Amino acid sequence: MGSPRFGLIWFDGKFVPVDKPLVTLTTHAIHYGTSAFEGIRAYWDSDELRIFRLRDHVRRLRRSGAYYSMRLRYTDRELMDGMAGLCRRNRVKESCYIRPFYFVGEHGINLHVTRAAPTHVAMLVLPLRDIFDKGGISAEIVGRRKFSDLSTPVQAKMGGNYLNSIIATQEAKRGGFDEAILLDHRGDVSEAPGENIFVVKGGRLHTPPSSSSALDGITRDTVMRLAEDLGYSASARRISKERLLGADEVFLTGTAAEIVPVVRIGKKRIGRRPGPITEELMQEYQRTVAGRNPRYSRWLTGVYG
Ligand SMILES: Cc1ncc(COP(=O)(O)O)c(C=O)c1O
């Protein structure tokens, strides 16, 4: 997970060195995946570090664990201050990634997790540049399906859920592709292992709805708003495999990935290069996260200012 260049983490309200042992092997989350997490980006620009949509990420963090009755013992304000403080204490003066999470601690082999189960909260900060080639990537529709609400709550960002993402990624990589695309339980397009997906056809943008087991992504929401501001229509609707392959443009969205054009799906070329609407949105997104889009300055939390 990147180098531990920023040597302090936040653990249960205190700043501690990243290499200090803090949990034991009997920690419930290691055995059962009972951790809720977020991935948040902060952007360095013009002498300020700005955390993007911090409040929305904190709200989702709380909602995730609530599906499993996991207690988050800090207020939203304490968590937000903790993350800004973590960046300051580590003197972060470059764009970075913040990973807050909470997890069930000592709870034996008990599968009955209640609000009485002990939980811990931690936050790390890591340097992070592009995780995909922004010039366009290849993707494969993998055989593994995205899990659905029929089995596990899709909107909960829980550690355990990511085994589905890991096995889908392994399948795509084995085939020589950069990324996987998962179908939902009905066979419609759902999302990528760690990103939402958009198709562009005739100037309209569509993205799978939550009923297709797509995460209600914060970048997805950002992109839909930016697209509308730029005069495009953007909406959630079910997308068949055929519709995906017949798209003019396809791109993925996620906090870590930002906006990434997909230029090949399996054997099908989607375009030789990123499409014009994808490129326009990529530019607008960078303008927004850098604090140069006054309409959305409320989405940015200054760390030093
Ligand atoms: C499964 C999954 N889908 C979509 C996303 C994109 O969500 P966001 O834009 O909120 O980062 C993520 C990343 O958090 C993810 O893990």
Side-chain angles (χ1 to χ4, degrees), residues 37-40 57 60 97 99 146-147 154 157 162 165 191-197 213-222 253-258 285:
F37 72 96
E38 275 301 315
I40 306 174
H57 282 285
R60 189 171 64 185
Y97 184 78
R99 164 57 55 85
K146 171 83 194 209
F147 65 89
V154 169
K157 266 181 80 73
Y162 281 77
S165 299
E191 61 177 354
E195 301 88 34
N196 290 110
I197 188 164
S213 305
L215 185 74
D216 199 356
I218 291 168
T219 321
R220 172 180 179 265
D221 174 71
T222 303
T253 63
T255 297
E258 301 176 314
Y285 189 77

Side-chain angles (χ1 to χ4, degrees), residues 52 54 65 80 132 180 185 195 226-227 253 267 283 289 299:
F52 189 58
L54 176 58
M80 291 194 291
F132 288 111
H185 62 288
E195 301 88 34
L226 295 181
T253 63
K267 292 196 174 71
Q283 275 175 23
V289 298
W299 280 343

Side-chain angles (χ1 to χ4, degrees), residues 26-48:
T26 48
T27 297
H28 196 269
I30 300 175
H31 298 263
Y32 301 116
T34 42
S35 60
F37 72 96
E38 275 301 315
I40 306 174
R41 269 195 189 260
Y43 294 87
W44 177 254
D45 191 83
S46 316
D47 288 339
E48 177 58 298

